[in-house]
């Protein structure tokens, strides 16, 4: 009975937690992903707010366009250049601990004059504020007497489950990006194969017509002229 009562109190506290957090301070920063088309000869930048003393993981991948490469830079809120990469197809970078402010992510396709690029990137936050919130709910629901099920064990299990679910979502997102890049590459190869197959077929037909005309004219010239 005590374990069931503790579990019920925990469930009620978790249901009411978002309301309390929303009224006490700013909402936590959510992970995000974005896919955009980067025109040839252009540079596009994005700004992402980050809390202090957190972990920011940035992953990007070029999933479409000739060469499948792009220039990437990452700057801190103070304007310090943290990452600079040239002509890369993908990359993973982690900033820890973060500074409070807006981080600047730029994708540059100025080296390409013809081909536009389809770029996918994802931002993953791991804020220390989440750990403080988890510490708070254990104190809120734990009674004075000993419980059959320790709250520390429940907290550890929830944290492990949360971490594994977040990692699973991240891997599925990356797999979708890989699938999109491979599909675009295969479609491009199919278009090139179809084009050159049509050109080869046209050349073969032209050569066959020329051979027939040449042989026909040759035999006409060899035919004896009637007197």
């Amino acid at each position: 009975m005590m374990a069931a009562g503790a579990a019920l109190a925990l469930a009620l506290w978790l249901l009411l937690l978002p309301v309390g957090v929303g009224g006490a301070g700013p909402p936590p920063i959510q992970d995000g992903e974005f896919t955009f088309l980067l025109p040839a000869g252009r540079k596009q930048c994005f700004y992402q707010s980050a809390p202090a003393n957190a972990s920011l993981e940035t992953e990007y991948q070029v999933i479409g366009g000739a060469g499948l490469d792009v220039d990437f830079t990452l700057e801190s809120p103070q304007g310090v250049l943290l990452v600079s990469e040239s002509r890369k197809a993908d990359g993973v970078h982690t900033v820890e601990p973060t500074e409070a402010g807006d981080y600047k992510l730029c994708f540059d396709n100025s080296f390409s004059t013809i081909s536009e690029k389809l770029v996918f990137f994802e931002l993953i936050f791991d804020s220390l504020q989440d750990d403080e919130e988890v510490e708070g709910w254990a104190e809120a629901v734990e009674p004075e007497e000993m419980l059959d099920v320790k709250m520390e064990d429940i907290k550890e299990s929830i944290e492990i489950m949360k971490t594994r679910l977040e990692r699973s979502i991240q891997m599925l997102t990356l797999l979708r990006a890989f699938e999109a890049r491979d599909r675009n590459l295969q479609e491009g190869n199919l278009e090139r194969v179809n084009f050159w197959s049509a050109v080869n077929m046209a050349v073969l037909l032209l050569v066959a017509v020329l051979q027939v005309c040449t042989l026909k004219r040759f035999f006409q010239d060899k035919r004896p002229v009637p007197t």
Side-chain angles (χ1 to χ4, degrees):
M1 291 296 294
M2 296 176 62
L8 179 58
L10 173 60
L12 292 176
W13 193 90
L14 290 176
L15 288 175
L16 295 176
L17 179 61
V19 178
V21 173
I29 298 178
Q30 301 293 330
D31 300 342
E33 59 185 61
F34 188 55
T35 303
F36 68 98
L37 191 63
L38 183 60
R42 296 287 299 277
K43 178 180 179 180
Q44 191 163 352
C45 296
F46 301 87
Y47 294 87
Q48 175 61 53
S49 300
N53 297 325
S55 175
L56 170 62
E57 183 176 346
T58 304
E59 302 184 12
Y60 72 92
Q61 185 176 146
V62 183
I63 60 178
L68 296 176
D69 54 358
V70 72
D71 295 343
F72 173 76
T73 57
L74 175 62
E75 296 183 9
S76 69
Q78 305 299 328
V80 179
L81 183 62
L82 302 177
V83 179
S84 179
E85 293 183 329
S86 177
R87 308 292 292 270
K88 290 286 187 177
D90 52 55
V92 180
H93 305 283
T94 303
V95 180
E96 186 179 9
T98 57
E99 304 176 12
D102 295 334
Y103 281 81
K104 182 180 179 181
L105 303 89
C106 292
F107 299 90
D108 192 356
N109 193 31
S110 58
F111 59 85
S112 178
T113 57
I114 300 176
S115 177
E116 57 187 12
K117 306 295 174 59
L118 186 63
V119 182
F120 162 83
F121 72 92
E122 182 181 20
L123 301 175
I124 302 173
F125 286 96
D126 186 11
S127 178
L128 299 180
Q129 182 181 1
D130 297 338
D131 298 335
E132 297 175 357
E133 293 175 357
V134 173
E135 292 290 342
W137 68 255
E139 299 177 358
V141 300
E142 185 174 7
E144 296 181 356
E145 62 273 10
M146 294 294 294
L147 299 177
D148 295 336
V149 180
K150 294 181 180 180
M151 302 307 298
E152 289 295 330
D153 295 338
I154 298 177
K155 180 186 69 174
E156 183 179 357
S157 299
I158 292 176
E159 281 298 305
I160 293 175
M161 186 181 301
K162 175 185 175 184
T163 302
R164 291 178 177 177
L165 287 175
E166 289 178 349
R167 190 60 183 172
S168 298
I169 294 174
Q170 178 184 355
M171 293 303 298
L172 288 174
T173 303
L174 290 178
L175 289 175
R176 287 199 302 268
F178 279 118
E179 188 271 337
R181 183 182 68 177
D182 294 340
R183 184 177 64 251
N184 292 333
L185 184 61
Q186 291 176 358
E187 290 177 352
N189 292 336
L190 178 62
E191 291 178 357
R192 286 191 289 269
V193 169
N194 291 336
F195 173 76
W196 288 111
S197 298
V199 171
N200 290 333
M201 183 63 67
V203 171
L204 289 175
L205 292 177
L206 180 61
V207 171
V209 171
L210 291 177
Q211 288 179 347
V212 170
C213 294
T214 302
L215 291 175
K216 185 177 181 180
R217 181 176 301 177
F218 176 79
F219 284 111
Q220 285 179 351
D221 295 339
K222 291 296 184 178
R223 185 180 301 174
V225 180
T227 56

